Amino acid sequence: MNVVVAIIQPYKLDDVRDALTEAGVDGITVTEVRGFGHQKGHTEIYRGAEYVASFVPKVKIEVVTLPDRVDAIVEAILKSAFTGQIGDGKIFVIDVARAVRIRTGEVGEAAL
């Protein structure tokens, strides 16, 4: 099993969710996060005062899936989250050692 983690622009969440649904994804976890990459934050003006927002708001999406579905999920996220601008985000694919469904005690693929 793998977990696909994507950090994307918040306004692209609906597009990515729709693309993942079309790709056959049954469930996702979404977390509002803040961070920075190459852009190192940005400058904003609040009540006439300029300040540096060193952490940019983003959305983290996590999808646990079988290895044969990873490429389709990554492709769906790439196409739907792309704007061509700095800050589009990143996608990470991580191995999952074990999954357990709490309600039933099912383990592995059955727990997905």
Side-chain angles (χ1 to χ4, degrees), residues 59-101:
V59 173
K60 179 168 77 170
I61 299 171
E62 297 169 289
V63 180
V64 179
T65 188
L66 299 175
D68 62 338
R69 301 283 303 135
V70 169
D71 290 338
I73 290 169
V74 168
E75 189 64 27
I77 295 169
L78 275 173
K79 287 182 178 177
S80 58
F82 176 81
T83 68
Q85 303 296 315
I86 292 175
D88 271 356
K90 297 243 170 54
I91 300 172
F92 306 97
V93 179
I94 304 163
D95 289 331
V96 174
R98 185 174 176 191
V100 179
R101 184 184 308 268

Side-chain angles (χ1 to χ4, degrees), residues 43-61:
T43 303
E44 292 186 2
I45 297 177
Y46 178 72
R47 293 188 177 181
E50 187 174 304
Y51 68 97
V52 176
S54 57
F55 293 104
V56 180
K58 300 285 185 176
V59 173
K60 179 168 77 170
I61 299 171

Side-chain angles (χ1 to χ4, degrees), residues 4-22 25 27-33 57-63 73 76-83 87-89:
V4 178
V5 179
I7 310 295
I8 65 167
Q9 297 281 3
Y11 66 89
K12 298 299 281 182
L13 177 59
D14 288 337
D15 294 339
V16 172
R17 183 193 61 220
D18 293 344
L20 289 172
T21 301
E22 286 181 26
V25 172
I28 65 174
T29 300
V30 177
T31 310
E32 292 180 10
V33 296
K58 300 285 185 176
V59 173
K60 179 168 77 170
I61 299 171
E62 297 169 289
V63 180
I73 290 169
I77 295 169
L78 275 173
K79 287 182 178 177
S80 58
F82 176 81
T83 68
D88 271 356

